[in-house]
């Protein structure tokens, strides 16, 4: 298992956003995390990626305990992520956004930046090459010098994925990669996610678009009120009574 999560719990004051969740994420697979709004999905990603410290429980990545590691260390070990809301510098170009994002994650500190050390220069060149590589991967190299303010929501989602890929993560956590993207444009994102997996990445994604999840996911984890209420293949999840009840609040079908 690439990621092993045991009894993971996060409380915010009186609210338990993630409650005793056990989960295993298998290398090279696509795992989806689904559940109603407020189920704790984003918090679950925030815990894995070190943005929040768990109240209790354990997370291990490639056999290493990462439960209490801060966000930069988790990123450096090979966990990349995107956010539910895509925060990009709208007035900057796509290239600049990737460079700035990558910069924040590389080693040179303020000292190197001010004194233009050799290390700084070498890293600048490496950053540029890396940015070109990831932009090419997500299909945006041709638009590298376009301002983010003039691109589509689907393209912004691709920029966010490029940013996540720039640190060469082993696993990428995508928080609603198709949110706000118009339905005709989600196919391209599905293909991009498949391409990531065919290039050796492990993907874990949160998504509300059911047809997308059902066609993409190898394994689905269902959260409701912070608890894991089911997991299994898409076929198993579609037939699971707890899921149908919790997720759709009645007798509707999950794939509806
Ligand atoms: P989901 O992504 O499944 O919609 P979230 O993980 O964002 O759900 O939120 C789960 C619950 O935790 C919600 O009730 C939300 O209001 C709460 N929550 C999330 N983040 C915080 C925070 N930083 N502080 C306080 N409450 C939070
Ligand atoms: Mg969320």
């Amino acid at each position: 298992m690439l990621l092993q999560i045991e009894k993971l719990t996060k409380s915010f004051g009186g609210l338990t956003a993630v409650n005793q969740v056990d989960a295993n994420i298998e290398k090279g697979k696509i795992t989806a995390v689904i559940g109603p709004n407020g189920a704790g999905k984003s918090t679950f990603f925030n815990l894995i990626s070190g943005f929040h410290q768990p109240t209790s429980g354990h997370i291990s990545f490639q056999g290493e305990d990462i439960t209490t590691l801060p966000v930069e260390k988790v990123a450096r070990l090979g966990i990349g992520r995107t956010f539910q809301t895509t925060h990009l510098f709208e007035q900057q170009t796509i290239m600049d956004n990737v460079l700035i994002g990558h910069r924040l994650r590389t080693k040179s500190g303020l000292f190197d930046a001010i004194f233009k050390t050799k290390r700084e220069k070498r890293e600048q060149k490496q950053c540029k090459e890396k940015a070109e590589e990831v932009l090419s991967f997500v299909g945006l190299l041709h638009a590298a010098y376009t301002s983010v303010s003039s691109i589509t929501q689907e393209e912004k989602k691709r920029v966010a994925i490029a940013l996540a890929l720039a640190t060469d993560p082993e696993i990428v956590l995508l928080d609603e990669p198709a949110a706000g993207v118009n339905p005709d444009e989600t196919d391209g994102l599905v293909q991009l996610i498949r391409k990531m997996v065919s290039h050796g990445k492990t993907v874990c994604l949160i998504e509300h678009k059911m047809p997308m999840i059902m066609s993409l996911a190898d394994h689905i984890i269902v959260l409701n009120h912070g608890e894991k209420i089911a997991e299994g293949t898409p076929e198993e999840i579609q037939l699971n009574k707890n899921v149908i009840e919790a997720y759709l609040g009645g007798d509707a079908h999950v794939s509806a």
Side-chain angles (χ1 to χ4, degrees), residues 18-29:
V18 172
N19 198 354
Q20 303 276 327
V21 172
D22 289 316
N24 284 321
I25 310 284
E26 209 180 323
K27 189 174 160 63
K29 295 280 194 292

Side-chain angles (χ1 to χ4, degrees), residues 19-123:
N19 198 354
Q20 303 276 327
V21 172
D22 289 316
N24 284 321
I25 310 284
E26 209 180 323
K27 189 174 160 63
K29 295 280 194 292
I30 301 179
T31 303
V33 179
I34 67 170
N37 274 330
K41 305 179 298 297
S42 292
T43 305
F44 183 65
F45 274 14
N46 287 335
L47 293 170
I48 296 171
S49 53
F51 280 80
H52 288 322
Q53 295 292 304
T55 307
S56 61
H58 293 279
I59 308 168
S60 84
F61 176 62
Q62 295 180 315
E64 185 172 340
D65 187 343
I66 61 160
T67 312
T68 57
L69 290 187
V71 69
E72 329 77 61
K73 288 213 173 121
V74 174
R76 228 171 281 150
L77 282 176
I79 301 183
R81 69 168 296 177
T82 65
F83 294 85
Q84 190 169 340
T85 317
T86 312
H87 295 287
L88 296 171
F89 298 101
E90 291 280 326
Q91 302 312 318
Q92 309 286 328
T93 64
I94 292 176
M95 175 60 89
D96 279 338
N97 270 272
V98 178
L99 287 175
I100 296 162
H102 190 36
R103 189 88 208 120
L104 296 173
R105 296 173 175 84
T106 51
K107 288 184 216 80
S108 289
L110 195 56
F111 176 87
D112 299 283
I114 292 169
F115 296 102
K116 294 271 173 222
T117 62
K118 272 193 187 147
R119 182 167 82 165
E120 158 80 9
K121 279 182 196 147
R122 188 173 64 236
E123 282 184 8

